[in-house]
Amino acid sequence: GENVEQHPSTLSVQEGDSAVIKCTYSDSASNYFPWYKQELGKGPQLIIDIRSNVGEKKDQRIAVTLNKTAKHFSLHITETQPEDSAVYFCAANIQGAQKLVFGQGTRLTINP
Amino acid sequence: DAGVIQSPRHEVTEMGQEVTLRCKPISGHNSLFWYRQTMMRGLELLIYFNNNVPIDDSGMPEDRFSAKMPNASFSTLKIQPSEPRDSAVYFCASSFKGGANTQYFGPGTRLTVL
């Protein structure tokens, strides 16, 4: 079945620097790749997503890139701020359908 | 917009007791998902419904777990009997099938089985 690998598991960056989180997936039929941010005690919140007909998508300080050939996608956060500290999850849909498989998460810490 | 509503937010029970978790999806959404989150296994899908019909329950761990969706605005996840290894945070999410299929998560129910 689909397997989503996420790296790194923890990431610490200085405020103002950039952060990059990478994911790989195994199902070549996957065509939807969302990223979620989870703060302590809350549910995952969608921050950005990308579909297989697009290679890159940006929303202010957040961007996601997708390489379908290599089966990997990445989250880029620029000009990081303390409120960016959270756990981030990538996901991919199975067989191009609704079911999502999630990566193991990356705990991002922004140091002031 | 209310978002996905889950209740209770916290549940502490003793082994062997029945536990019922509740979810109200976003109005207008026609797909509902139940997830479980633990440190060891991460975020895993238990079951999902389309138009109140269960589509895939392959993630339900065993017969002690059951889920229902009697109407478009309500779903339950029941564990009977509960065991300590069921302790986890349970999330409900909803989406509009046929649209962007984006899943929106509720705040979760933290279950502790003693």
Side-chain angles (χ1 to χ4, degrees), chain A:
Chain A
E2 170 78 291
N3 186 42
V4 176
E5 296 287 335
Q6 184 172 345
H7 300 281
S9 57
T10 60
L11 180 60
S12 183
V13 301
Q14 287 298 119
E15 183 178 352
D17 289 349
S18 296
V20 180
I21 302 171
K22 299 182 179 182
C23 289
T24 60
Y25 61 98
S26 59
D27 183 359
S28 57
S30 294
N31 59 8
Y32 175 61
F33 308 91
W35 285 89
Y36 286 84
K37 175 184 181 182
Q38 186 175 24
E39 297 176 320
L40 193 62
K42 297 184 178 180
Q45 299 297 308
L46 180 77
I47 54 171
I48 196 168
D49 56 14
I50 191 168
R51 299 182 189 273
S52 60
N53 58 345
V54 176
E56 182 176 3
K57 183 176 178 181
K58 288 184 180 179
D59 183 2
Q60 299 182 337
R61 298 185 296 109
I62 294 173
V64 57
T65 58
L66 171 65
N67 183 327
K68 284 223 74 178
T69 302
K71 295 196 186 73
H72 66 72
F73 55 113
S74 301
L75 176 71
H76 303 253
I77 306 174
T78 59
E79 300 173 21
T80 54
Q81 301 169 4
E83 53 264 37
D84 295 329
S85 294
V87 179
Y88 292 80
F89 292 94
C90 63
N93 64 341
I94 298 176
Q95 292 293 301
Q98 292 178 277
K99 194 171 175 178
L100 294 177
V101 173
F102 284 80
Q104 286 298 303
T106 296
R107 181 173 298 278
L108 174 64
T109 302
I110 308 302
N111 302 308

Side-chain angles (χ1 to χ4, degrees), chain B residues 22-108:
Chain B
R22 297 173 175 79
C23 175
K24 176 179 171 57
I26 292 172
S27 178
H29 282 187
N30 53 10
S31 295
L32 184 140
F33 306 79
W34 281 102
Y35 289 88
R36 178 171 68 175
Q37 186 176 43
T38 62
M39 288 296 295
M40 289 299 295
R41 300 176 66 89
L43 196 58
E44 50 182 348
L45 179 68
L46 300 177
I47 185 171
Y48 79 95
F49 298 81
N50 280 344
N51 297 314
N52 314 336
V53 176
I55 302 301
D56 186 338
D57 65 354
S58 59
M60 295 286 262
E62 48 196 274
D63 291 346
R64 297 185 297 106
F65 285 68
S66 62
K68 294 182 179 180
M69 192 164 186
N71 58 62
S73 59
F74 183 66
S75 177
T76 59
L77 178 67
K78 185 175 293 186
I79 308 172
Q80 166 64 17
S82 58
E83 297 182 2
R85 60 191 168 123
D86 301 331
S87 297
V89 182
Y90 291 81
F91 290 104
C92 175
S94 71
S95 71
F96 180 69
K97 185 179 187 307
N101 279 335
T102 301
Q103 294 185 25
Y104 297 89
F105 282 74

